[in-house]
Amino acid sequence: RMTPEAHHGEPVRINLASIAAEIIAELVPEALAKNTEIELDTIDPLCPIMGFPTAIGILVRNLVDNAIRYTPEG
């Protein structure tokens, strides 16, 4: 669920790769606990997009967390 503040105002230019890298770094311990390797592989280190930083962060966190949670160990 999203709070109204997550997408308040106009979209801004954000660096998707940077947001993804931060979130992946935070979730590495969970991946390691399942003996799962996780990495970010991007062609564009900036990966600029227009969006709402909080909402994009929540989306990426949910995707990565679900990938770790529902991938079999190893």
Side-chain angles (χ1 to χ4, degrees):
R1 293 187 185 153
M2 295 287 239
T3 61
E5 296 82 31
H7 53 277
H8 186 262
E10 296 295 319
V12 296
R13 186 177 179 97
I14 56 177
N15 180 337
L16 181 58
S18 176
I19 291 172
E22 288 176 29
I23 290 168
I24 288 170
E26 292 171 8
L27 295 174
V28 162
E30 285 85 352
L32 292 176
K34 287 187 68 177
N35 195 27
T36 301
E37 184 177 312
I38 185 170
E39 66 181 66
L40 175 63
D41 185 14
T42 179
I43 294 171
D44 185 348
L46 298 178
C47 197
I49 64 169
M50 296 297 291
F52 301 99
T54 301
I56 295 295
I58 291 168
L59 172 68
V60 172
R61 177 174 299 283
N62 286 343
L63 288 170
V64 174
D65 182 62
N66 284 343
I68 294 168
R69 184 179 316 255
Y70 298 110
T71 297
E73 187 169 333

